[in-house]
Amino acid sequence: MTTIGFGDMTPSISGDEADEKSLYMLVCTVYILVGLAFTSTIIELVRRQYAESWRKMQELRAQIQAQLKLADTLKKLSETAEKNNVDIGINIADDLEELKNNLNKFKNSKLGDQFGDVDIQQLDW
């Protein structure tokens, strides 16, 4: 077995004072089991928190990707309307520029590290 930090005292049941040693062995076993349970509980709590954070980050990433696709579609719609001399009554360019600025602010924040593959400068709105 192990000495678990008590020096030369070991949990064995042979020899003199068998009742005292068997009680000591029981206490050591309970001590080890409680320590393992405590350690595994902490590890499980950290794992759950990490999984929740990862899920939220993936949802946020999907929302940003959807906004980028929407912005690209609006840009194409605006260009098509401009070619055909159609006035759609809104200024999409200002909205797209505001979206680009907001994405840039988010990317520069501490949460924006996960979005390294999204290049804000290549968006030519």
Side-chain angles (χ1 to χ4, degrees):
M1 197 151 228
T2 179
T3 60
I4 63 170
F6 293 120
D8 62 347
M9 298 183 339
T10 59
S12 67
I13 56 173
S14 63
D16 298 336
E17 303 168 355
D19 290 335
E20 184 180 314
K21 288 186 178 185
S22 63
L23 177 65
Y24 178 71
M25 186 172 169
L26 179 65
V27 169
C28 287
T29 303
V30 169
Y31 179 73
I32 290 169
L33 291 176
V34 167
L36 287 172
F38 181 73
T39 302
S40 63
T41 300
I42 297 298
I43 291 171
E44 178 64 18
L45 289 174
V46 170
R47 186 202 61 82
R48 284 183 187 176
Q49 184 64 34
Y50 180 76
E52 180 68 20
S53 297
W54 182 256
R55 186 187 60 78
K56 286 181 182 179
M57 189 62 73
Q58 292 300 325
E59 287 176 4
L60 184 60
R61 182 180 183 85
Q63 289 175 356
I64 288 176
Q65 292 295 335
Q67 287 180 358
L68 288 174
K69 288 179 184 176
L70 176 63
D72 191 44
T73 303
L74 288 174
K75 181 177 184 273
K76 289 177 183 175
L77 177 67
S78 175
E79 288 173 352
T80 303
E82 204 173 280
K83 282 183 185 176
N84 297 328
N85 293 327
V86 176
D87 184 20
I88 55 177
I90 57 174
N91 188 357
I92 295 176
D94 290 341
D95 294 336
L96 292 176
E97 193 62 36
E98 183 180 345
L99 176 62
K100 182 178 176 181
N101 290 336
N102 288 338
L103 287 172
N104 198 21
K105 285 179 190 176
F106 179 77
K107 188 174 179 184
N108 292 333
S109 71
K110 68 177 182 176
L111 296 175
D113 294 340
Q114 298 291 326
F115 299 98
D117 60 335
V118 178
D119 190 8
I120 304 297
Q121 303 305 323
Q122 287 185 351
L123 302 175
D124 59 347
W125 304 328

